[in-house]
Amino acid sequence: MNKYDVLVIGAGHAGIEAALASARLGQKTAMFTITLDNIGVMSCNPSIGGPAKSHLVKELDALGGQMSKTIDKSFVQIRVLNTKKGPAVRSLRAQADRKIYAKNMKKIVENQENLDVIQDIVTDLIYTKNENGRFEIKGVKTKNGLEFLASSVIICAGTFLNGLLYVGDKILEGGRMGELSSKDLTNSLKELGLDVRRFKTGTSPRIDSRTINFDVLEEQPGEVDKLLKFSNSTPDEVILNTKQLSCYVGRTDLQLHNIIKNNIDKSPLFNGTIKDSVGPRYCPSIEDKVVKFADKDSHHLFLEPEGFDTAEVYISGLSTSYPAHLQQAMVRSIKGLENARIMRYGYAVEYDFVKASELDYTLETKKVKGLYLAGQINGTSGYEEAAVQGLIAGINAALALKGEEPLLLERDSSYIATLIDDLITKDIEEPYRMFTARSEYRLILREDNADLRLTHIGHKIGLVSDEEYNKVLEKRNNVEKTVEILENTKLGVSNKKLVEVLNKNNETLKSGTNLKELLRRPSITYDDIKYIAEDIENMPNITFDTETEYQIEVHIKYEGYINKTNSIIEKHSKLEKKLIPDDFDFMNIKGITGEAKQKLTERKPHTLGQASRIAGVTPADISVLLMYLDGKIKN
């Protein structure tokens, strides 16, 4: 009999993290994929990171996930975005070699202890009802007529549930071009009473680099002179020894816009072919952009190489579902692409997802014990959003089977928690994408301190080694100790290097100023502080690796803002820590609105803070709930 502890459906970014987490935590795990050849494939833009997404990947790394480690060994370009803005929104982004990334992921999962990878299509869920009347998962059935039994099932189906692909008037069944869709599994979800809906997304054409005139395009090179990486565990030499390829920036113009406007009836998004599904607001098709922003006569495009050993170049910003001949005309209307040849055509994909209000914060479904959902099936978009959900689902499935407390992160701890909380408490009407603006605590949830915030949790769970945890403890100690040293080191004008730095930056020095106060000034950098320290007798060592030094500088320069944010968190902590019993009957509460009763019963928040963020729940409703929970009002 095929018996496992955890079954994972799907081998994309969510499925990989879920399966690896479960297996690494000692659970016998099986991962199902429609084809073994496409484990970890990047269906759309082959990149990891960018605004807020890099924060998710760094947090995933701190918790012991895999994506961060694999992209560090698979990139063709890496650089930091938003460098002219504050540290809260700076973000690391890497362009991946799609084949190397997928090959590395395939090798990782196939060599993971406790993990079997199976090529088969899951068609049905096996379940029963327990003594409490709740459905309980027992396993799955597959297309090949097999049954696999397990106490937990994690569905990470991506865009494959009832997937339909659109290229003009051509409609194909599939979750990705060239691959079958999963048509039957949706029926099991509906039988269980889950709220199944439909979204759509799309991808851009890939063109032959040999047919591009790069001379007229703006070059965007990687940062080869900096040590940039997503994972603390990646050896420095891996990054420094990777050669990098340039990306290029182009633009659309009115010629391309007119092609779109004159043929809008041929777009499945506008001619009624795709009727009921909603697409991503923040990653729209080019036809969407031209129609919605009719006043714009140009849009940015980014030409990004797909790997070292391929001629394919991805045109980011040109997602489309137009017929193939119109895609070719659109591409050749772009400056520098007049002779470009399309190697893969863009397409739209429509797929089923489950409304995230069906989920608990563990990512287990409320209606079905042992059934977890992660990734695009929860209404999100993006590799990074999918990966962190897979990690949390895999961790919680394993912890539940071990009889341990679940991992429930809080909004003030991570972007991962922000994502999950948003999905469950808000009404998600379009594919969800993470932005730094979604977090009210973004100044303390920076990508540069993700390890300091979360590694202790990854270590406690068992996914982070003692060696990696000790590195983070050393970094924390170095930061705290150095801040104290700088605060206790007062300066005098006899320091020649100090005078040199002050003159260079047009700064003056007040009597009694210490190095910490000096570093707070916008014009002074940590390199300046180290330079000045060379002239201070008996000065302790304050030279560390780049990440530690950056952490010291940010901590000092933004200390006032960080303290204010921590004060806000402290004020809100009463609501966030006020637990709501699992069996709390919202429908019998007097003094709150009918809408609030309905939404609270549907979403079942664990804390009053979570309840306060649910759409339709007012501050007055929260005040009444607090009085009930404090016993000031009796039922």
Side-chain angles (χ1 to χ4, degrees):
M1 182 178 290
N2 300 309
K3 191 169 183 180
Y4 291 85
D5 298 313
V6 177
L7 303 176
V8 177
I9 302 172
H13 307 288
I16 286 170
E17 298 296 344
L20 289 175
S22 169
R24 288 168 177 172
L25 291 175
Q27 305 306 305
K28 187 180 179 185
T29 306
M31 181 171 71
F32 295 89
T33 176
I34 292 175
T35 169
L36 287 171
D37 297 326
N38 287 339
I39 293 171
V41 161
M42 294 178 166
S43 310
C44 198
N45 190 348
S47 69
I48 298 292
K53 292 171 174 282
S54 64
H55 296 63
L56 291 174
V57 180
K58 293 249 186 175
E59 289 176 357
L60 174 143
D61 185 64
L63 291 172
Q66 185 61 44
M67 174 180 274
S68 51
K69 301 172 179 62
T70 302
I71 186 59
D72 279 349
K73 297 176 182 177
S74 311
F75 68 85
V76 299
Q77 184 191 97
I78 192 165
R79 61 195 185 96
V80 179
L81 307 183
N82 295 331
T83 54
K84 295 181 180 179
K85 299 181 180 180
V89 296
R90 288 178 194 165
S91 55
L92 187 61
R93 184 181 187 273
Q95 191 70 21
D97 184 307
R98 332 176 43 239
K99 290 183 179 179
I100 293 176
Y101 184 91
K103 180 181 178 181
N104 286 342
M105 276 301 196
K106 189 172 191 288
K107 183 177 180 180
I108 290 290
V109 298
E110 289 182 352
N111 286 279
Q112 176 60 50
E113 186 181 357
N114 293 325
L115 177 57
D116 294 339
V117 187
I118 301 166
Q119 181 172 295
D120 205 346
I121 299 176
V122 174
T123 56
D124 299 279
L125 300 175
I126 303 171
Y127 52 88
T128 60
K129 269 193 176 180
N130 60 25
E131 62 276 8
N132 298 320
R134 185 186 180 193
F135 289 112
E136 190 169 334
I137 207 75
K138 293 297 179 183
V140 303
K141 296 178 182 178
T142 73
K143 199 83 168 176
N144 285 327
L146 300 174
E147 290 189 1
F148 293 80
L149 303 182
S151 300
S152 293
V153 172
I154 307 173
I155 303 180
C156 308
T159 59
F160 282 78
L161 287 182
N162 272 334
L164 291 176
L165 310 176
Y166 297 84
V167 182
D169 60 355
K170 305 294 188 294
I171 304 175
L172 306 171
E173 291 185 354
R176 184 164 48 214
M177 191 59 75
E179 293 186 55
L180 300 171
S181 68
S182 178
K183 296 174 60 178
D184 304 309
L185 189 55
T186 293
N187 294 330
S188 279
L189 298 175
K190 290 181 176 178
E191 287 169 5
L192 289 165
L194 299 178
D195 187 353
V196 179
R197 303 188 179 191
R198 247 161 123 72
F199 271 162
K200 66 172 179 275
T201 187
T203 189
S204 300
R206 275 82 161 174
I207 56 177
D208 190 331
S209 63
R210 296 167 296 181
T211 61
I212 299 172
N213 180 8
F214 289 106
D215 293 338
V216 299
L217 298 171
E218 177 190 341
E219 186 175 7
Q220 206 172 56
E223 297 188 45
V224 296
D225 57 341
K226 294 181 181 178
L227 180 61
L228 302 173
K229 56 184 179 179
F230 281 96
S231 177
N232 285 339
S233 64
T234 302
D236 293 352
E237 57 269 21
V238 170
I239 305 296
L240 297 173
N241 291 337
T242 300
K243 67 176 182 178
Q244 296 196 40
L245 303 178
S246 288
C247 296
Y248 291 83
V249 181
R251 297 193 72 92
T252 65
D253 60 19
L254 290 177
Q255 183 184 352
L256 186 150
H257 294 195
N258 287 331
I259 293 172
I260 290 172
K261 291 174 182 176
N262 294 336
N263 294 279
I264 200 68
D265 60 316
K266 298 179 179 64
S267 168
L269 302 176
F270 288 91
N271 64 14
T273 304
I274 301 177
K275 296 178 181 178
D276 303 320
S277 55
V278 180
R281 177 192 302 264
Y282 301 104
C283 189
S285 65
I286 186 62
E287 47 263 45
D288 246 348
K289 284 191 278 191
V290 168
V291 171
K292 289 180 180 176
F293 305 103
D295 58 318
K296 303 273 188 184
D297 55 14
S298 181
H299 295 281
H300 270 109
L301 300 172
F302 299 91
L303 278 66
E304 299 168 327
E306 296 229 326
F308 292 113
D309 299 319
T310 178
E312 287 185 73
V313 173
Y314 183 91
I315 312 178
S316 181
L318 202 71
S319 173
T320 183
S321 56
Y322 266 114
H325 71 281
L326 287 176
Q327 290 191 37
Q328 186 67 74
M330 287 159 56
V331 166
R332 289 190 172 173
S333 73
I334 299 165
K335 184 178 180 181
L337 307 186
E338 293 86 353
N339 299 305
R341 183 175 66 84
I342 294 178
M343 299 178 74
R344 299 181 198 240
Y345 293 94
Y347 59 90
V349 55
E350 192 179 25
Y351 57 96
D352 289 342
F353 75 98
V354 175
K355 192 176 180 184
S357 59
E358 298 282 6
L359 299 172
D360 198 350
Y361 281 80
T362 59
L363 297 185
E364 183 180 27
T365 56
K366 296 167 186 170
K367 293 174 181 171
V368 190
K369 179 176 169 50
L371 178 63
Y372 297 77
L373 308 180
Q376 283 178 283
I377 192 173
N378 290 336
T380 61
S381 68
Y383 308 142
E384 302 86 353
E385 289 89 341
V388 297
Q389 290 175 73
L391 177 66
I392 296 300
I395 288 172
N396 280 321
L399 293 177
L401 292 173
K402 294 163 77 171
E404 298 180 13
E405 288 295 311
L407 174 59
L408 298 172
L409 299 173
E410 298 179 357
R411 276 185 85 91
D412 60 11
S413 74
S414 61
Y415 275 88
I416 295 175
T418 304
L419 184 154
I420 294 172
D421 187 61
D422 279 355
L423 289 177
I424 293 173
T425 61
K426 299 184 187 304
D427 289 325
I428 305 299
E429 302 298 339
E430 60 193 25
Y432 179 98
R433 178 179 178 178
M434 179 53 71
F435 292 100
T436 53
R438 294 195 188 275
S439 174
E440 60 272 44
Y441 307 122
R442 56 186 173 273
L443 187 54
I444 63 168
L445 302 183
R446 306 182 309 276
E447 67 165 32
D448 61 81
N449 68 357
D451 53 348
L452 299 176
R453 290 185 277 116
L454 297 174
T455 303
H456 67 286
I457 297 175
H459 181 256
K460 180 181 178 182
I461 291 169
L463 291 177
V464 174
S465 68
D466 291 343
E467 180 184 1
E468 292 305 315
Y469 180 50
N470 288 333
K471 284 183 188 177
V472 175
L473 290 180
E474 182 182 8
K475 178 180 177 181
R476 183 189 299 280
N477 180 61
N478 287 336
V479 171
E480 292 174 352
K481 184 173 65 176
T482 303
V483 170
E484 185 179 348
I485 289 170
L486 299 184
E487 189 171 24
N488 292 329
T489 305
K490 293 189 177 181
L491 297 166
V493 290
S494 59
N495 185 309
K496 292 181 180 179
K497 292 188 175 180
L498 169 62
V499 173
E500 186 181 332
V501 168
L502 291 173
N503 290 337
K504 180 187 72 173
N505 293 289
N506 294 317
E507 295 278 2
T508 58
L509 190 71
K510 292 181 181 179
S511 176
T513 300
N514 59 46
L515 280 174
K516 181 181 176 183
E517 291 168 334
L518 184 63
L519 184 53
R520 278 207 183 104
R521 302 181 186 186
S523 63
I524 304 298
T525 67
Y526 194 75
D527 283 338
D528 290 330
I529 298 298
K530 290 192 296 180
Y531 183 68
I532 294 166
E534 292 173 2
D535 257 8
I536 300 176
E537 192 174 350
N538 298 321
M539 182 70 183
N541 174 57
I542 60 168
T543 298
F544 306 102
D545 60 272
T546 302
E547 290 187 3
T548 300
E549 292 182 359
Y550 181 74
Q551 191 64 221
I552 295 166
E553 183 168 344
V554 170
H555 179 88
I556 290 175
K557 285 188 180 296
Y558 293 87
E559 186 176 34
Y561 299 104
I562 291 169
N563 289 340
K564 285 181 182 179
T565 302
N566 286 329
S567 296
I568 293 171
I569 291 172
E570 194 173 338
K571 287 179 182 177
H572 291 171
S573 65
K574 183 178 181 182
L575 290 181
E576 298 297 340
K577 293 178 180 177
K578 192 69 178 178
L579 297 177
I580 300 174
D582 291 338
D583 59 354
F584 193 81
D585 188 355
F586 296 103
M587 298 305 291
N588 284 331
I589 298 296
K590 297 176 182 178
I592 67 173
T593 65
E595 182 183 6
K597 290 179 181 181
Q598 177 189 344
K599 293 290 184 67
L600 290 165
T601 300
E602 180 184 86
R603 285 167 168 78
K604 297 186 185 302
H606 290 289
T607 69
L608 211 55
Q610 293 168 1
S612 70
R613 292 185 290 275
I614 295 174
V617 178
T618 68
D621 296 326
I622 295 299
S623 296
V624 173
L625 279 174
L626 180 59
M627 287 189 280
Y628 269 93
L629 293 170
D630 284 344
K632 294 176 182 177
I633 301 178
K634 304 290 185 182
N635 279 335

